[in-house]
Amino acid sequence: MSNIFSILALYALWVIVLLNAQAMVGIAQHGISAMLGPRDDVGPPTGRAARLARAKDNSVVSLALFAPAVLLQATKPMVLDSAILAAQVFLVARILYPIIYVAGIPGLRTLVWVAGLLATIWLYVVAL
């Protein structure tokens, strides 16, 4: 897992897992027939389903910020160990984030979010 590009791929796969989890929770909450239709009359998700939707949205945004930071590493002759460590920290934090968010643990959720953000910022810094 030392390859920074593999870490990016793993995180993208995790976001796909979250997309599917949100769909499954939507089916459980509203029923399959409602989810197969245009969803004009389906209300917004509530409770854990709503938290999962927000965590998924946040994860997509994080992917949009993380991917360019990783791809910038390709412009360097060598990926620094600190960049690989930052990518690993990001991956662990971002896998934990939706789990903690859905579980409703606010303080810890913020800490892992900050860890992922700082790791992303570090990737941009070492790319300069």
Side-chain angles (χ1 to χ4, degrees):
M1 180 127 122
S2 63
N3 186 328
I4 197 165
F5 302 106
S6 295
I7 295 169
L8 174 58
L10 286 171
Y11 185 61
L13 288 171
W14 176 244
V15 172
I16 291 169
V17 167
L18 291 176
L19 290 167
N20 285 297
Q22 183 187 9
M24 296 298 111
V25 169
I27 290 169
Q29 192 168 76
H30 299 291
I32 189 131
S33 61
M35 297 309 287
L36 289 174
R39 296 184 223 164
D40 293 333
D41 298 326
V42 175
T46 59
R48 286 188 176 184
R51 289 195 298 271
L52 180 58
R54 290 189 298 272
K56 182 266 307 169
D57 291 345
N58 186 276
S59 296
V60 171
V61 170
S62 291
L63 179 60
L65 294 172
F66 180 66
V70 168
L71 295 174
L72 280 170
Q73 301 306 311
T75 67
K76 301 296 175 191
M78 177 177 128
V79 177
L80 298 176
D81 288 343
S82 68
I84 293 169
L85 178 60
Q88 291 169 336
V89 167
F90 172 88
L91 180 63
V92 170
R94 295 306 310 180
I95 286 172
L96 291 174
Y97 177 80
I99 295 166
I100 292 167
Y101 195 174
V102 171
I105 309 170
L108 188 56
R109 180 192 84 206
T110 302
L111 287 176
V112 297
W113 182 87
V114 168
L117 178 63
L118 291 176
T120 302
I121 291 169
W122 183 250
L123 288 171
Y124 283 105
V125 168
V126 298
L128 295 175

